[in-house]
Amino acid sequence: MLPKMARVLKVAAASAAGLFLRLRTPVSTVRTSASLSSHPGAGPVWNLGRLNHVAIAVPDLEKARAFYKNVLGAEVGEPVPLPEHGVSVVFVNLGNTKMELLHPLGSDSPIAGFLKKNKAGGMHHVCIEVDNINVAVMDLKEKKIRILSEEAKIGAHGKPVIFLHPGDCGGVLVELEQA
């Protein structure tokens, strides 16, 4: 009985390993400091950091701001116009991270286009910190990840940011921000 069970477990483990290899792609590889140091030929060294914020596009910035402040009791900042990005932003402090409320600043704002398709608003992007945005961008370009601008721009926190194409990131618009 035990030898038969051992064979069944070996076959199951081999099937799972094969499935894992088929599902694995270079984009979804999680890299840590330890894995980078153990693979010196892996390429440029950069580390993915913490979630900085989740951005929500809103059709009415004051209404959204009032909801988070007055209904949910969150610490909510003042609106800040960012003409170079075509948005006005309000940050909602959640302690361990933030939410960024986005509202179009002008008719050619990328958020205006998003709100045309999503009248009630909705999640727009996630922002993740990186320890070296320039090295991260070079590495991601080598891995054929599309970057949505030629170079990083200064974001709402006064730090360089860059956006990655959602088609290369599991359908999610990803913003990388220099930590």
Side-chain angles (χ1 to χ4, degrees):
M1 178 74 171
L2 287 177
K4 185 176 181 182
M5 177 79 79
R7 280 195 308 269
V8 168
L9 289 174
K10 272 186 177 177
V11 169
S15 292
L19 177 61
F20 175 73
L21 288 174
R22 285 192 304 275
L23 292 175
R24 218 175 113 199
T25 65
V27 174
S28 64
T29 301
V30 175
R31 301 179 339 149
T32 64
S33 298
S35 67
L36 286 173
S37 63
S38 65
H39 301 308
V45 178
W46 62 278
N47 292 299
L48 198 60
R50 69 180 190 94
L51 175 68
N52 184 283
H53 65 265
V54 174
I56 310 294
V58 298
D60 184 330
L61 191 58
E62 279 308 312
K63 183 177 177 182
R65 189 175 176 276
F67 171 76
Y68 286 99
K69 182 176 182 178
N70 302 331
V71 176
L72 296 182
E75 180 186 320
V76 178
E78 295 296 323
V80 176
L82 298 173
E84 62 278 7
H85 293 278
V87 296
S88 288
V89 300
V90 168
F91 281 98
V92 179
N93 188 347
L94 301 174
N96 63 342
T97 194
K98 298 176 280 300
M99 286 179 53
E100 178 184 47
L101 305 178
L102 297 169
H103 185 73
L105 188 61
S107 58
D108 59 345
S109 166
I111 299 305
F114 181 89
L115 289 172
K116 281 182 186 171
K117 296 177 197 167
N118 305 278
K119 301 284 186 213
M123 194 189 100
H124 185 261
H125 68 268
V126 296
C127 177
I128 305 170
E129 295 176 357
V130 294
D131 65 346
N132 189 326
I133 197 164
N134 295 323
V135 174
V137 167
M138 287 184 339
D139 185 46
L140 291 166
K141 283 181 178 179
E142 285 178 17
K143 292 176 178 171
K144 307 294 186 224
I145 303 301
R146 291 172 284 177
I147 311 295
L148 296 183
S149 62
E150 291 299 316
E151 57 187 40
K153 295 179 182 178
I154 299 302
H157 298 113
K159 298 178 179 181
V161 299
I162 199 134
F163 287 86
L164 308 180
H165 195 289
D168 298 337
C169 302
V172 177
L173 179 60
V174 175
E175 177 184 22
L176 298 180
E177 178 178 286
Q178 177 71 45

